[in-house]
Amino acid sequence: MRSFFILFSLSLSLLSKDVVEVFAGEMTSTKSHFHATNGVVLLYDGALLKAKEATYDKNESLLKLYGGVEMIRKDENRVFSDTLEINTTTKKIDFKKLLLTTADNLWIDAKEADRDKEIYKIKNSTLSSCNQKNPEWKMEFSEALYNKDKNYITLSDAKLSFFDIPVFYFPYLAFPTINKRTTGLLFPTGQISTDEGIVYQQPFFYAPVENFDVEITPQIRTKRGSGVHVTTRFVDSNSSRGQLKFGYFKNDGSYAKSHHFNQEHYGAEFRYSSTNFLPKSDFLDNYQQGLYANITYLNDLEYLNIQKDSVSSLVSTNLVESKVNAFLYNENDYLGLYARYNIDTSKQSNSDTIQEIPALQYHSFMKYLLSDKLFYTFDARVHNYTRREGSRAFQTEFDLPVTYYDSFLNDYLDLSLTENLYLSNVFFSNLQQKGENYRFYRNFHTLEVSSDLSKQYGSNIHTLHPSIVYTKPSFEHEKPLEYKDLNEDQKELFVTQTELENLSLGLSQYYYSSELDLNLFHRMGFVNYPHSDLPQGDLNNEFGYTKDNFNFYSNLFYSLDKKKLHSLTTSVSYTKSDYDIMMTHFYNYDLILDKEATSFLHTSVTHTINQHNQWYASTDLDLSNSFNHQWNIGWSHRQKCWGAKLSFGQEQIPNVDTSFRNTALYFEIALNPLGAISRNIEKDFSRQGNR
């Protein structure tokens, strides 16, 4: 036997043919055993291990480390333990008093644990991402399995506590230990409703590759029924991505009958966008391009509403629109292809609902004609209005404005003359009663006289733009009959465009600071229609002022004929690092229907107390009817290891038959890096009228 009392290095071949390198201040060794103390460092199986003391028994294949044990692997988590025991044959590791930390600052403190290959089995443990000595939140559990390679952990019999107060219990919970897309169960959601019973949803997230994932969300409503929604998201190129969702929910027969629902709600939704969908070519490379699709198919609105968490987000309109837009353009030309498909959920059948499939548009941007003072633009549109039952129409439209522009008096006076030519052809088919095709011609002249003036005041700049615009219809011709004489099933397919004689006066001014920040703007306009029932039109006055943290905006429309205020929007805001205050007032009076004026006031206040805490409040007041439309007050907290949001409010919700007042309590707890738990607790209501 040999003894050393200086820094000692030993390279020892183990039975498993692995090699352990030992560095220590003191060591004794034999052929089958060594004992190292005084600052022990070991290199074994790609890991660096530190301890106060280490022993190895070659006969039992056991490598043991004692006292402040630390194990570090490259690009892996750090492990701290009081005692660590490694079977060098099976590679199994046993820990006593384990502390495991992950890349996202999540730590696990366990009384005992073992590691077999890449799987940690942990018992009687606590985990958190907050300060270890006094964590704000912690998760205590009886057993866990942690897959080091997949950065994934599953817990059994877990209890979540905030400031040592238990708030949630999970019989089973699984989540990734790093902040990235990972396959596994997401946080469940649930609530208790007197109308629907216990509502429980348990999403499962499947992410096999970086550019594709699937989220499956089954749900049960104990007094209503059950269903499932599946969402697939994908990225198919650097410039395109999409999402496909479909779902099904079945109501219990008695629930469907008492609520006048369909027994089944089903549908599908497809979203897709691309900014480079055409093949590469020398010609197409000179154009910008885009493709956007938003397609929804459903049998009724409850397919959408069954997915909503809040009553205020319920879909109330009966018309659900699907659309596909594709376009191609450069500095000279624009080409667009559109499609619109509508589902009217109030109808049993949509065979007579008008669809626009497809619409085609070509637009030529400004081009010079003969000289640089004469130019034109051109716009052509084709619309195919169709349906399975009822009249259909195929419309072509051509719009050609030709403009002459020049300046006089040393550029103080600008003059433009425009001839606006418009043609529309409509071809009808499948008419319910005899009717003719329709053609509409129109021409009008526009004269504009204006000026652009600017002056510098110190380092600030003031610009002024006065203008006078006169529009005069030249001719307007319809054949073989006028629009008003068309059949009703013809007129419901399209509208024709007319132009009235008018004179408009405008004045715009802008004031810029030395840094070219817009501090003040003022726009005033007046339009007169001499041959209209309301010839004097509206006087418009728009004003905006910004200075430091203060912002003011006003937009007013006043009817000179009615001598009444038509509409007024006023907004005042004040923003600083710790305060954000805004007040907006909306006023509107319908001059045509002569209904009672509407007046709304919206206010909001946000106060940032410190870097972690913020409170906010908002309210909407219906001043014309003297009631509070909505109010909300809340608090939010954010820090590195957790965040929370709590709000309480009330709102008036419109419904099919009447409206009702809804009270909601919302809370959200975000545990980094686990994710967030959120819930809306709302007063029961009927989605379709009073009960």
Side-chain angles (χ1 to χ4, degrees), residues 95-219:
F95 304 91
K96 296 294 183 184
K97 189 59 179 172
L98 167 73
L99 177 63
L100 176 68
T101 62
T102 72
D104 273 0
N105 298 317
L106 186 72
W107 55 262
I108 301 173
D109 188 358
K111 293 182 179 179
E112 57 180 306
D114 63 65
R115 171 179 162 174
D116 192 356
K117 297 181 180 178
E118 306 305 327
I119 306 296
Y120 285 89
K121 187 175 182 180
I122 306 167
K123 296 182 178 180
N124 302 320
S125 182
T126 301
L127 69 81
S128 180
S129 60
C130 295
N131 188 292
Q132 187 184 357
K133 291 184 179 180
N134 189 23
E136 287 92 341
W137 72 267
K138 61 183 178 181
M139 189 90 71
E140 298 172 290
F141 53 89
S142 60
E143 185 174 284
L145 294 177
Y146 169 52
N147 190 315
K148 177 184 65 63
D149 279 355
K150 296 182 178 180
N151 294 296
Y152 196 74
I153 189 170
T154 60
L155 309 180
S156 300
D157 192 25
K159 179 181 66 176
L160 173 64
S161 298
F162 261 85
F163 299 98
D164 294 324
I165 301 174
V167 292
F168 285 105
Y169 172 75
F170 304 95
Y172 176 84
L173 183 64
F175 55 88
T177 58
I178 56 174
N179 190 18
K180 63 180 293 187
R181 298 165 61 257
T182 308
T183 297
L185 294 174
L186 303 179
F187 273 107
T189 61
Q191 69 182 87
I192 298 176
S193 166
T194 56
D195 183 48
E196 298 183 322
I198 299 175
V199 180
Y200 181 79
Q201 300 183 68
Q202 176 58 72
F204 173 76
F205 188 72
Y206 176 60
V209 291
E210 285 296 319
N211 64 334
F212 175 83
D213 60 59
V214 180
E215 185 176 332
I216 304 172
T217 308
Q219 64 169 292

Side-chain angles (χ1 to χ4, degrees), residues 334-395:
Y334 173 92
L335 181 65
L337 178 65
Y338 321 116
R340 301 288 188 275
Y341 186 86
N342 299 305
I343 297 177
D344 190 341
T345 58
S346 65
K347 296 180 179 180
Q348 291 295 322
S349 171
N350 274 270
S351 58
D352 62 347
T353 301
I354 299 172
Q355 317 296 348
E356 188 177 5
I357 305 176
L360 181 66
Q361 180 186 12
Y362 168 75
H363 183 80
S364 175
F365 297 111
M366 187 184 75
K367 292 181 174 64
Y368 291 112
L369 185 67
L370 301 178
S371 74
D372 60 358
K373 297 185 182 301
L374 187 66
F375 57 88
Y376 72 93
T377 63
F378 176 72
D379 195 83
R381 295 177 295 277
V382 177
H383 308 272
N384 182 42
Y385 301 107
T386 184
R387 48 187 167 183
R388 294 196 302 273
E389 297 178 7
S391 58
R392 302 163 194 162
F394 185 84
Q395 182 187 29

Side-chain angles (χ1 to χ4, degrees), residues 612-632:
H612 300 303
N613 295 284
Q614 184 181 79
W615 71 266
Y616 53 90
S618 67
T619 183
D620 288 330
L621 301 175
D622 186 340
L623 302 178
S624 55
N625 294 305
S626 301
F627 79 89
N628 190 311
H629 177 70
Q630 176 269 344
W631 62 267
N632 186 330

Side-chain angles (χ1 to χ4, degrees), residues 39-52:
V40 181
V41 177
L42 294 92
L43 299 178
Y44 168 68
D45 194 27
L48 172 68
L49 297 100
K50 298 180 180 179
K52 293 180 179 179

Side-chain angles (χ1 to χ4, degrees), residues 417-484:
L417 296 168
T418 303
E419 285 294 314
N420 298 270
L421 306 174
Y422 175 78
L423 168 66
S424 173
N425 279 293
V426 184
F427 302 93
F428 297 102
S429 62
N430 204 39
L431 293 174
Q432 302 300 310
Q433 52 184 305
K434 185 178 179 180
E436 303 285 347
N437 293 326
Y438 174 79
R439 177 170 291 184
F440 174 72
Y441 306 88
R442 183 200 64 200
N443 167 245
F444 62 91
H445 321 297
T446 302
L447 167 67
E448 180 176 357
V449 179
S450 63
S451 182
D452 280 303
L453 308 171
S454 64
K455 186 174 182 180
Q456 190 162 353
Y457 295 91
S459 59
N460 300 321
I461 300 174
H462 177 243
T463 66
L464 192 66
H465 178 76
S467 65
I468 302 174
V469 181
Y470 175 66
T471 301
K472 172 69 174 178
S474 174
F475 69 83
E476 191 172 287
H477 182 64
E478 300 172 273
K479 69 176 190 179
L481 69 169
E482 294 184 359
Y483 181 82
K484 63 183 179 63

